[in-house]
Amino acid sequence: MDTGHSPSKRQLTSMAKIALTEKEHEICSLLNNVVDHIHTTTNQQLTLRIAGGWVRDKLLGLASHDIDIAVDHMSGYTLAHHVTTYMQTHSLATSSVGKINSNPERSKHLETATTKVLGHLVDFVHLRSETYKEDSRIPLVEFGTPEEDARRRDITINALFYNLQTREVEDFTGRGLKDLQEGVVRTPMDAEQTFRDDPLRVLRVLRFASRFGYEIDGETARAMHRVEVRRDLDKKISRERVGVEVEKMAAGERPLLAVQLILRFNLFECVFRAPPRDMWTDDVAVDAAAAESVTRCMLKVLDGALLHAHIPSQYNVTLRDRRALILASYVFPFHAAVAADRKRQAPVALLVVRDGLKLPTNDADTVAAVHTLAPRITEMAALCCAGPVERNTLGHLVRDAGARWVIATLFAAAVELHNGKSADQVVATFSAFMGAVKDAELEDAYKMKHIVNGRDVATLLKCRTGPGIKPVLDRVMDWQLAHPRGTHDECREFIVKEIAPHMPL
């Protein structure tokens, strides 16, 4: 098996037994009552199963709130309406039935219905089979058997069912329970054909292998190494879908393992798609291996709590911040590159996140910001270690960084670890910077307003308001940062005495 890591195997709660919560028991019982009612009134016999991730997680003893009901011989949308009608007749609270239409371009191959059952959001789909044409990843979807539905899924541990009638786990691939027990990720059917049918499954294999720390089955790994599979992933899958998988990897439990697997299967260029080289302003070398090193160092900063004691008390590094820092680490190999972007230029890392992964603009901006700010903060931190730094110099950097100055400092620390500095050196350097900012009471400097506004400045200088006032306001802010106790009148005096005489008539 191709892994390069030790899997984190979990002991199953019981090989084929699931312990339901009280709410889950109530939902299953109600759905069984609906099935009995349908059979009594229409003579139609249905079997309901919970499918996929919920079954896997419950067997691993993990909480799961994503209940997906798979039904045979009926559409999920029709079943959802039967459920709401039954609840209404029994004076139970209901909600409308939502329909999520199939969208093959976004790997959504089947219509899904969703509604609340006893206050819990539940999805309803029908069991299906999928067949693919050689030149398309969009399948022909038809009603299928449980065996067919299980075989068309991405990996065996995601192909387990929980039968609501028998209250038993069903493993129609014959491998799902064993793979879950042994910590193995493999495709239910021939791996190469599975990936050629839907290349997105390559990334899903990587995501679940990294999420659980599981090994990748040898046959599955060999198929992932094939050039044709990588080509199909690059050509057939929308960038939005690639971005969704990368985002989940970055937010997952083992983001380092995720990027290690991306590199091991030579998928870095395909996953982190950059603009064509002829759009780059310079021929910058891209060292993909740096993504692994910086990610490891970033996690050392975050999880090792190297600088946590020095982070201002009003700041909390959120899960969203953590994900953004991991994304910035993933695309660090592009940090020195710039490319044409419409009529201007932009960091290649920003374009990779924005266009190559189709992630939100805020993510792209944050990645670009921490890349740009890291060397500036490192330089300032070195100055702080050498001796006192003028308050306005510190303040301008915090204002330029804005609310991102804390996470940019953490990223700068990770980059210095990557560059070979010891943990002790990094802590000494960046704690000096954070301490200087705190001592100067500049943690929120980016929120500061001008003590004298543009209109007052124009009045004092007897000139018009407009863009020409900005350089004056910049000097006003510089004065404010240097004189934290300065008053409005003192600032006006500064403008009259120091700025007005040098203004053009």
Side-chain angles (χ1 to χ4, degrees), residues 312-365:
S313 58
Q314 65 266 46
Y315 285 85
N316 179 35
V317 179
T318 65
L319 291 177
R320 183 173 181 177
D321 292 333
R322 179 186 175 91
R323 180 179 59 82
L325 287 170
I326 297 300
L327 284 172
S329 303
Y330 283 176
V331 298
F332 181 79
F334 303 104
H335 76 280
V338 176
D341 179 34
R342 303 180 182 94
K343 294 183 179 181
R344 57 189 180 89
Q345 294 181 348
V348 169
L350 180 149
L351 301 178
V352 169
V353 175
R354 188 194 71 190
D355 302 334
L357 297 174
K358 297 293 185 182
L359 294 180
T361 300
N362 184 66
D363 287 335
D365 289 343

Side-chain angles (χ1 to χ4, degrees), residues 196-432:
R196 298 300 299 272
D197 285 344
D198 185 355
L200 182 68
R201 291 167 177 162
V202 170
L203 297 186
R204 290 180 60 82
V205 165
L206 297 186
R207 176 158 67 83
F208 284 104
S210 63
R211 176 180 174 183
F212 295 113
Y214 283 2
E215 297 180 353
I216 298 176
D217 164 68
E219 179 191 343
T220 303
R222 285 189 290 274
M224 291 168 66
H225 275 298
R226 292 188 65 84
V227 173
E228 297 87 350
V229 170
R230 293 203 300 271
R231 182 192 63 215
D232 287 349
L233 177 60
D234 190 43
K235 300 294 184 184
K236 292 184 179 181
I237 302 299
S238 71
R239 301 315 299 177
E240 289 88 351
R241 294 306 300 153
V242 174
V244 167
E245 295 300 319
V246 170
E247 187 174 27
K248 290 179 178 180
M249 292 180 200
E253 293 183 18
R254 297 175 180 82
L256 175 59
L257 179 54
V259 76
Q260 288 172 332
L261 291 172
I262 288 171
L263 292 168
R264 185 168 300 125
F265 289 100
N266 299 314
L267 293 170
F268 187 84
E269 290 185 9
C270 173
V271 172
F272 301 105
R273 182 188 289 175
R277 278 281 184 163
D278 59 7
M279 294 176 61
W280 294 29
T281 58
D282 296 297
D283 186 19
V284 177
V286 174
D287 177 16
E292 176 183 352
S293 175
V294 176
T295 301
R296 178 184 288 107
C297 295
M298 190 72 258
L299 291 171
K300 187 172 184 178
V301 172
L302 291 170
D303 298 339
L306 293 188
L307 293 169
H308 286 203
H310 305 283
I311 295 175
S313 58
Q314 65 266 46
Y315 285 85
N316 179 35
V317 179
T318 65
L319 291 177
R320 183 173 181 177
D321 292 333
R322 179 186 175 91
R323 180 179 59 82
L325 287 170
I326 297 300
L327 284 172
S329 303
Y330 283 176
V331 298
F332 181 79
F334 303 104
H335 76 280
V338 176
D341 179 34
R342 303 180 182 94
K343 294 183 179 181
R344 57 189 180 89
Q345 294 181 348
V348 169
L350 180 149
L351 301 178
V352 169
V353 175
R354 188 194 71 190
D355 302 334
L357 297 174
K358 297 293 185 182
L359 294 180
T361 300
N362 184 66
D363 287 335
D365 289 343
T366 298
V367 166
V370 299
H371 281 192
T372 301
L373 289 165
R376 293 182 59 192
I377 291 175
T378 299
E379 181 179 357
M380 185 67 71
L383 293 175
C384 292
C385 285
V389 175
E390 292 185 357
R391 188 177 190 274
N392 54 340
T393 302
L394 277 172
H396 284 305
L397 178 53
V398 173
R399 285 181 61 81
D400 289 346
R404 298 184 178 109
W405 79 268
V406 171
I407 64 170
T409 302
L410 299 180
F411 188 75
V415 172
E416 285 300 283
L417 287 174
H418 162 72
N419 289 336
K421 295 291 179 65
S422 70
D424 289 342
Q425 288 174 311
V426 166
V427 171
T429 300
F430 292 97
S431 63

Side-chain angles (χ1 to χ4, degrees), residues 43-227:
N43 204 35
Q44 184 174 14
Q45 184 65 55
L46 300 175
T47 301
L48 305 189
R49 297 172 170 88
I50 303 179
W54 180 91
V55 184
R56 176 201 65 224
D57 289 348
K58 294 292 287 188
L59 285 170
L60 291 173
L62 304 174
S64 181
H65 303 289
D66 298 326
I67 298 180
D68 298 332
I69 300 296
V71 57
D72 55 358
H73 313 308
M74 179 181 287
S75 74
Y77 188 69
T78 301
L79 174 61
H81 277 288
H82 277 293
V83 172
T84 56
T85 299
Y86 179 88
M87 289 195 297
Q88 287 170 350
T89 60
H90 288 75
S91 302
L92 297 172
T94 62
S95 63
S96 60
V97 175
K99 180 190 290 187
I100 305 172
N101 293 321
S102 62
N103 187 346
E105 290 304 318
R106 292 178 177 265
S107 294
K108 183 69 177 177
H109 300 312
L110 185 67
E111 175 186 283
T112 303
T114 183
T115 192
K116 285 188 175 182
V117 179
L118 302 180
H120 191 102
L121 202 61
V122 177
D123 288 346
F124 297 87
V125 296
H126 65 73
L127 294 172
R128 68 191 191 268
S129 66
E130 295 177 351
T131 54
Y132 290 81
K133 295 182 180 179
E134 185 174 346
D135 60 348
S136 174
R137 59 168 290 274
I138 299 175
L140 173 64
V141 178
E142 298 179 313
F143 277 83
T145 64
E147 293 84 356
E148 290 172 327
D149 193 280
R151 287 197 301 268
R152 61 94 197 159
R153 292 179 180 264
D154 49 8
I155 54 178
T156 58
I157 63 173
N158 290 344
L160 299 167
F161 292 100
Y162 179 73
N163 189 309
L164 267 62
Q165 276 79 9
T166 65
R167 300 296 174 97
E168 293 179 347
V169 174
E170 298 172 330
D171 182 6
F172 291 103
T173 70
R175 292 178 170 181
L177 287 169
K178 182 179 180 181
D179 286 344
L180 198 61
Q181 180 74 50
E182 296 182 352
V184 176
V185 174
R186 84 172 81 230
T187 59
M189 299 177 65
D190 176 77
E192 183 174 356
Q193 189 59 52
T194 295
F195 296 142
R196 298 300 299 272
D197 285 344
D198 185 355
L200 182 68
R201 291 167 177 162
V202 170
L203 297 186
R204 290 180 60 82
V205 165
L206 297 186
R207 176 158 67 83
F208 284 104
S210 63
R211 176 180 174 183
F212 295 113
Y214 283 2
E215 297 180 353
I216 298 176
D217 164 68
E219 179 191 343
T220 303
R222 285 189 290 274
M224 291 168 66
H225 275 298
R226 292 188 65 84
V227 173

